[in-house]
Every structure is written in C-alpha cells, then in structure tokens.
C-alpha cells in the first residue's frame, strides 16, 4: 500500500499527494518542511506486500515551495525474499496547479533499492505521475495515472491508473477506498488491486485500518510480481502515523 498514507493525507487536504504524495501548499509564499513517521503492519505497493507481510517502519520529508513546487524523499523497510532488498528510498519532485478548484499534481518519482542484490538487473525505476484531486463537500476524489519507461527489474514499459475516494464522516474520522490497475509489458498478466478502510485523526496522529488485496491471489504467475509467499493475497493493514506540518517553525 505504498504512498497510501501520503495520498490520503493529501486528498483530505486537497493538496495532492506525496508519495502522491507531497504535503505541498500551492499558495504558500515561503518554503515549508513537513514530514511524518509511520509504522505499518504490512507495507503494500499497489496491493502487493513489499515486506513479506511484516511490520514496516517508514518516514518521509517534503519541502514545499512557492507556486506549488515541492520535492521530497520517502524511506521504508522492504523484504522481497531473504531480506533483499532491505529498504527502499524514494525521491520525488513536482508541482501543483489550481484548475478552478481542482488540484492537478504533476510529479517525477524515482523508486530506489540501493542494496538490491541481483547481478544483471536493477530494481530501481522511474515514473511520471499525474493526479487530479477535487472535493465535493465531504467527498474527495483523486484520480491517478502513471507511466514508467522501464519498470522494475527491466520488465518493460509500465502503466498505472487508479481512483481514490475519501468521505469525511466527522472532523476526525473518514472512510476511503481505492481501485487501481497495473500494466507491465513483460508481465504474464496485468492485475487490479483494491483497498477499503477508515482513518481516524487526533492532533498530529492518525490511525488507518483497511483491507487490501489483488485479483492475483496465489495464481501461478504471482511470483512475477513478488517472490515472497502470499504477497499478492488479501489482508488487513493498520498504519499509525505521526505528522509534523512544518519543521521549520
């Protein structure tokens, strides 16, 4: 469920995403430095477990500038089998545009796995991500599209599309759900992922609980997407997050 925390926080604030993701402030005249630290019961990227369904620490720092520009980094523990790679460090930058009340976020995102060990292939890859976010009263909708010229492990061109809807029940509780679809040139099959859950906030803390899964399950080709057992099957994920809105204050 990679970048879900960033995307949800951004959607609820209609400020775009970090990881989608970015806590950027379009109209802010000065620079701001925001960040968060979190612990997840299972780190998932587009529905697939990246840490062998183990508890995952993660953290992010985001520098927001004037005119909607931002840049940042995101790190988390990973385990694709044999603790390889042991962590992920991502770097991103982009800009938010106000389209008459709809936020357009255009982002360059680089996923890196510095200690990945496999001679002849690289796990790191780049994506261009475009998001549209709009609030309809308590309902916030985010549409995401992404393209990678060379997806992870040299698997060819990758395309991704998703939709996220979040509904604020109160000023501290919201429900949300995501449906996304991933295509990769050399994959034996494309796949769909989904999640649904609730997020509670209290001051700088948030607790998100949800069910996430894919239509891959334990199919024979699941090993193409992740080597660890049952990484593509569904499960419940809990995320506890502490956010600091401006570290420069």
């Amino acid at each position: 469920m990679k970048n879900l925390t960033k995307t949800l926080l951004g959607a609820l604030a209609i400020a775009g995403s970090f990881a989608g993701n970015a806590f950027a402030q379009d109209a802010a005249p000065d620079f701001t430095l925001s960040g968060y630290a979190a612990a997840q019961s299972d780190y998932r990227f587009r529905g697939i477990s990246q840490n062998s369904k183990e508890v995952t620490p993660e953290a992010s720092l985001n520098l927001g500038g004037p005119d909607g520009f931002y840049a940042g980094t995101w790190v988390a523990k990973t385990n694709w089998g044999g603790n390889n790679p042991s962590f992920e460090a991502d770097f991103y930058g982009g800009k938010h545009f106000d389209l008459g009340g709809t936020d357009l976020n255009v982002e360059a995102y680089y996923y890196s796995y510095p200690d990945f060990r496999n001679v002849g292939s690289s796990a790191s890859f780049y994506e261009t991500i475009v998001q549209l976010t709009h609030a309809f009263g308590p309902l916030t909708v985010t549409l995401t599209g992404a393209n990678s010229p060379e997806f992870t492990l040299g698997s060819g061109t990758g395309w991704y599309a998703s939709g996220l809807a979040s509904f604020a029940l109160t000023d501290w509780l919201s429900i949300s759900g995501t449906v996304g679809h991933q295509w990769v040139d050399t994959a034996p099959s494309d796949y769909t992922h989904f999640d649904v859950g609730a997020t509670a906030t209290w001051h700088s803390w948030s607790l998100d609980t949800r069910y996430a899964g894919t239509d891959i399950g334990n199919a024979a080709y699941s090993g193409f997407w992740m080597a660890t057992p049952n990484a593509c099957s569904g499960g419940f994920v809990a995320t506890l997050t502490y956010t600091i809105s401006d570290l420069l204050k």
Side-chain angles (χ1 to χ4, degrees), residues 14-214:
I14 319 179
S17 64
F18 289 82
N21 307 334
F23 290 119
Q25 299 178 8
D26 291 351
D30 301 316
F31 288 96
T32 59
L33 183 64
S34 58
Y36 77 84
Q40 287 188 328
S41 61
D42 180 14
Y43 159 34
R44 294 195 173 221
F45 176 49
R46 297 173 184 170
I48 298 175
S49 177
Q50 304 293 301
N51 194 34
S52 194
K53 293 194 171 184
E54 299 169 355
V55 174
T56 305
E58 63 175 79
S60 178
L61 281 175
N62 183 84
L63 180 67
D67 301 319
F69 285 100
Y70 65 89
T73 185
W74 181 92
V75 294
K77 181 181 179 299
T78 57
N79 180 6
W80 295 359
N83 205 33
N84 177 32
S86 66
F87 73 102
E88 176 181 345
D90 298 351
F91 305 91
Y92 59 84
K95 177 175 169 54
H96 290 274
F97 302 86
D98 182 8
L99 305 181
T102 296
D103 181 80
L104 169 63
N105 179 34
V106 181
E107 184 174 66
Y109 203 104
Y110 186 70
Y111 307 79
S112 74
Y113 307 87
D115 65 348
F116 178 72
R117 305 181 303 277
N118 190 2
V119 177
S121 63
S122 172
S124 302
F125 68 103
Y126 165 84
E127 276 190 332
T128 299
I129 301 174
V130 178
Q131 291 183 313
L132 287 170
T133 300
H134 190 86
F136 305 89
L139 174 66
T140 301
V141 176
T142 299
L143 302 178
T144 300
N147 168 255
S148 174
E150 187 67 57
F151 202 66
T152 186
L153 300 176
S155 50
T157 303
W159 292 92
Y160 176 73
S162 70
L164 178 151
S166 177
F167 188 87
L169 298 173
T170 68
D171 59 357
W172 62 272
L173 181 64
S174 65
I175 56 175
S176 61
T178 304
V179 176
H181 197 81
Q182 178 75 64
W183 300 264
V184 177
D185 272 355
T186 62
S189 176
D190 52 346
Y191 77 93
T192 298
H193 74 91
F194 63 91
D195 65 72
V196 60
T199 306
T201 59
W202 182 74
H203 297 290
S204 297
W205 293 92
S206 66
L207 176 63
D208 181 87
T209 58
R210 65 190 52 246
Y211 184 87
T214 73

Side-chain angles (χ1 to χ4, degrees), residues 227-243:
T228 53
N230 303 314
C232 300
S233 59
F236 286 94
V237 180
T239 306
L240 181 64
T241 304
Y242 181 79
T243 303

